[in-house]
């Protein structure tokens, strides 16, 4: 059986507070509308709560003023005996309420506008003051909205690790078996960040690719990208600590690619924009990759002769396994200590493999140490499915500064295991 979640408990508490306020008001108004608004506005995180609450407030005033106008019209021109005409007017005006919600870019608030509108026009007595009645219904609804906003913004005190850094692998931690972020992981990460958990993401992808996936998550710390070839300061929107392949190695690599008639995608940063250069697309897999990735914002794909290219953060090659395996062995034979290579199978196209080439100085622990020192963190949690290399390097790097390093291995068989582990470590006592 699914457990009772925090949102359910918050909804219950919000309804109870609405009842308490109703009693403190001397049982003025109709508490039903406060409770309805509170339940509708309870969200999983503070960011969504503020956005939803603001929309609901606008929707409340929209529905309230239109309802007041209809009520005045009915009391002035429609006899109480003509109930069918009143219902026709209300039904037709619902079109106006919803249309104005869309027109004013308040689609998510259209139903609260309708609730307030009908609470005024349907549940009313003909002898009451229409202004007072409409204002009271708006107040009832606003009470529920502000109660929900208050409940969403309150956090219980915990023994949090405010001086701890949580470095979480995107591909080998946060992603589920389908290679995606689950809805639970997204919500829980937003909640932890709103509680000031110091979470940094490390990824094999470029910063723009990662940020497009995490666009609704309010990350604050630099993003460790492209296997440590660079990091991206989200606040300043700039690349930092870029580790480029040296010119001599670049020239040698590009000559080998040209002789083997193999295309490559060369990633570099120019004026804080990621540029990807390529010479030609040789097969369908490259074309598919190009057409998928070129749509990513803040990344430019440029077709030109690459033989004189310099300053590559990463060189990406995708080819049939047989051909790429031979190339990989040829590059290993160079014994070039200035480069680091990652050879892996293409999970989407089984006949193909992928080769990534970085500078040997490109490593995640170097960037993590910079973040640790800059932010004065005293404890490091590395949360990943498989990154023992990072753990070993981090131990050597951080022992000198008396930094406690914890490597937490994630069991990918457990759903949302990485983010649950972050929460567990964040909440436990020092």
């Amino acid at each position: 059986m699914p457990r009772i979640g925090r949102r359910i408990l918050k909804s219950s508490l919000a309804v109870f507070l609405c009842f308490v306020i109703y009693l403190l008001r001397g049982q003025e108004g109709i508490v039903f509308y406060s409770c309805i608004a509170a339940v509708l506005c309870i969200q999983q995180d503070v960011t969504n709560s503020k956005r939803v609450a603001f929309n609901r407030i606008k929707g409340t005033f929209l529905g309230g003023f239109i309802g007041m106008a209809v009520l005045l019209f009915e009391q002035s021109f429609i006899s109480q005996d003509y109930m069918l005409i009143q219902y026709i007017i209300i039904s037709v005006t619902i079109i106006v309420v919803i249309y104005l919600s869309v027109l004013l870019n308040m689609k998510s608030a259209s139903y609260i506008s309708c609730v307030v509108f009908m609470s005024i026009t349907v549940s009313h007595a003909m002898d009451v003051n229409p202004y007072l009645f409409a204002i009271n219904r708006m107040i009832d609804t606003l009470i529920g909205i502000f109660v929900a906003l208050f409940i969403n913004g309150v956090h219980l005190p915990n023994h949090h690790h405010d001086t701890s850094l949580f470095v979480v692998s995107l591909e080998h931690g946060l992603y589920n078996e389908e290679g995606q972020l689950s809805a639970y992981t997204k919500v829980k990460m937003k909640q932890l960040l709103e509680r000031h958990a110091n979470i940094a993401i490390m990824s094999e992808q470029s910063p723009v690719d990662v940020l497009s996936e995490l666009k609704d998550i309010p990350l604050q710390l630099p993003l460790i990208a492209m296997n440590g070839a660079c990091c991206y300061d989200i606040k300043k929107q700039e690349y930092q600590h870029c580790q480029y392949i040296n010119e001599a190695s670049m020239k040698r690599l590009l000559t080998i690619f040209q002789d083997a008639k193999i295309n490559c995608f060369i990633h570099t940063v120019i004026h804080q924009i990621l540029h990807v250069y390529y010479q030609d697309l040789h097969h369908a897999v490259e074309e598919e990759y190009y057409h998928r990735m070129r749509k990513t914002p803040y990344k430019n794909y440029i077709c030109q002769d690459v033989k004189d290219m310099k300053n590559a953060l990463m060189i990406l090659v995708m080819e049939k396994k047989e051909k790429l395996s031979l190339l990989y062995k040829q590059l290993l034979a160079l014994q070039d200590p200035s480069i680091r290579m990652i050879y892996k199978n293409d999970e989407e196209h089984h006949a193909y493999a992928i080769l990534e080439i970085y500078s040997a100085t490109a490593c995640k622990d170097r960037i993590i140490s910079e973040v640790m020192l800059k932010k004065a963190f005293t404890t490091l949690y590395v949360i990943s499915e498989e990154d023992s290399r990072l753990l070993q390097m981090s131990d050597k790097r951080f022992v000198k500064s008396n930094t406690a390093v914890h490597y937490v291995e994630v069991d990918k068989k457990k759903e949302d295991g990485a983010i649950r582990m972050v929460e567990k470590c964040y909440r436990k006592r020092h």
Side-chain angles (χ1 to χ4, degrees):
M1 291 179 63
R3 63 188 182 91
I4 297 176
R6 186 171 304 206
R7 188 174 181 179
I8 297 174
L9 296 175
K10 289 194 293 185
S11 298
S12 174
L13 179 58
V15 169
F16 175 71
L17 284 182
C18 288
F19 284 126
V20 170
I21 293 171
Y22 173 66
L23 293 175
L24 292 175
R25 292 176 66 200
Q27 301 183 28
E28 288 288 332
I30 301 177
V31 71
F32 169 79
Y33 297 113
S34 299
C35 295
I36 287 292
V39 171
L40 289 175
C41 289
I42 287 291
Q43 297 294 309
Q44 294 132 322
D45 53 77
V46 177
T47 304
N48 270 342
S49 178
K50 291 179 179 178
R51 177 180 55 79
V52 169
F54 182 64
N55 277 337
R56 299 296 189 273
I57 290 170
K58 292 191 292 183
T60 298
F61 284 113
L62 177 63
F65 286 122
I66 295 177
M68 185 189 300
V70 169
L71 199 59
L72 282 168
F73 179 80
E74 288 180 350
Q75 290 193 356
S76 300
F77 301 103
I78 307 297
S79 171
Q80 194 171 0
D81 298 329
Y82 296 100
M83 297 295 292
L84 181 60
I85 295 177
Q86 292 179 15
Y87 293 153
I88 291 173
I89 293 172
I90 292 171
S91 301
V92 171
T93 312
I94 281 289
I95 298 174
V96 178
V97 174
I98 297 174
Y99 182 75
L100 284 176
S101 298
V102 174
L103 199 64
L104 297 173
N105 199 24
M106 295 160 44
K107 295 179 183 179
S108 61
S110 60
Y111 56 84
I112 199 73
S113 299
C114 293
V115 168
V116 175
F117 169 76
M118 286 186 284
S119 73
I120 293 169
T121 56
V122 178
S123 304
H124 70 278
M126 293 298 290
D127 57 343
V128 300
N129 184 319
Y131 297 105
L132 184 61
F133 187 85
I135 290 171
N136 282 334
R137 293 299 74 73
M138 286 191 281
I139 291 173
D140 292 334
T141 306
L142 289 172
I143 287 172
I145 293 171
F146 284 114
V147 165
L149 192 59
F150 171 74
I151 293 296
N152 271 314
V154 171
H155 300 301
L156 296 176
N158 289 292
H159 296 278
H160 291 162
H161 286 212
D162 295 328
T163 58
S164 297
L165 173 63
F166 299 89
V167 179
V168 193
S169 171
L170 183 64
E171 290 81 8
H172 304 295
L174 295 175
Y175 276 165
N176 56 23
E177 292 181 352
E178 288 74 37
Q180 298 175 338
L181 289 174
S182 71
Y184 177 88
T185 291
K186 289 181 180 180
V187 169
K188 184 58 65 177
M189 190 183 298
K190 289 175 73 174
Q191 290 176 346
L192 286 168
L193 289 167
E194 286 170 353
R195 292 169 196 160
H196 308 294
N198 303 304
I199 300 175
I201 304 297
M202 57 182 177
S203 174
E204 300 169 0
Q205 304 175 60
S206 70
V208 292
D209 296 325
V210 176
L211 291 175
S212 65
E213 291 193 56
L214 306 178
K215 59 183 178 181
D216 297 324
I217 298 175
L219 293 170
Q220 299 295 319
L221 292 174
L223 173 67
I224 304 162
M226 302 172 76
N227 282 306
C230 67
C231 74
Y232 187 77
D233 190 309
I234 297 170
K235 291 182 179 179
K236 295 180 180 179
Q237 296 186 337
E238 64 180 32
Y239 287 81
Q240 298 176 342
H241 306 294
C242 294
Q243 300 298 307
Y244 295 104
I245 300 171
N246 68 52
E247 291 186 24
S249 295
M250 272 291 293
K251 188 174 182 179
R252 187 161 49 246
L253 289 169
L254 293 177
T255 299
I256 292 173
F257 294 152
Q258 189 174 18
D259 292 342
K261 297 182 179 179
I262 289 178
N263 177 51
C264 62
F265 295 92
I266 301 173
H267 296 66
T268 188
V269 174
I270 302 174
H271 301 307
Q272 299 304 326
I273 299 292
L274 184 64
H275 290 67
V276 183
Y277 292 88
Y278 64 99
Q279 192 154 329
D280 198 6
L281 301 176
H282 291 172
H283 49 76
V285 174
E286 286 184 336
E287 290 180 4
E288 180 185 326
Y289 171 81
Y290 165 73
H291 287 295
R292 182 176 74 250
M293 301 304 293
R294 71 179 179 82
K295 299 176 183 178
T296 307
Y298 309 111
K299 181 194 285 188
N300 294 329
Y301 277 79
I302 303 165
C303 181
Q304 71 171 46
D305 190 345
V306 298
K307 65 180 181 181
D308 295 323
M309 277 295 301
K310 302 175 183 178
N311 299 330
L313 278 176
M314 187 260 283
I315 300 174
L316 174 67
V317 183
M318 47 183 66
E319 258 301 342
K320 287 188 175 181
K321 289 181 179 179
E322 298 81 3
K323 190 172 183 179
L324 192 57
S325 178
L326 292 172
L327 175 69
Y328 182 52
K329 291 177 182 177
Q330 183 181 356
L331 296 179
L332 286 174
L334 294 176
Q335 296 184 341
D336 187 345
S338 68
I339 62 172
R340 178 164 66 94
M341 296 185 290
I342 299 175
Y343 180 93
K344 56 189 177 182
N345 293 325
D346 189 334
E347 295 180 0
E348 294 183 14
H349 309 92
H350 300 300
Y352 286 78
I354 295 172
L355 178 63
E356 297 173 357
I357 305 175
Y358 303 91
S359 167
T361 58
C363 52
K364 289 172 275 192
D365 74 297
R366 176 185 51 79
I367 298 177
I368 293 172
S369 69
E370 292 287 341
V371 175
M372 292 288 291
L373 292 171
K374 186 176 181 179
K375 302 290 185 179
F377 293 125
T378 58
T379 308
L380 169 66
Y381 290 86
V382 178
I383 299 174
S384 176
E385 179 190 16
E386 47 180 39
D387 214 334
S388 57
R389 178 177 178 274
L390 175 63
L391 171 66
Q392 295 166 2
M393 296 171 72
S394 297
D395 281 338
K396 293 175 183 177
R397 181 68 60 89
F398 295 121
V399 163
K400 296 178 181 178
S401 59
N402 297 320
T403 299
V405 179
H406 303 277
Y407 179 73
V408 184
E409 189 170 357
V410 177
D411 183 358
K412 289 299 287 288
K413 294 180 180 178
K414 292 184 179 179
E415 190 175 4
D416 305 303
I419 199 64
R420 292 181 190 275
M421 193 59 66
V422 173
E423 183 178 34
K424 181 180 178 181
C425 296
Y426 182 59
R427 288 181 175 277
K428 74 179 182 181
R429 294 176 181 271
H430 292 275

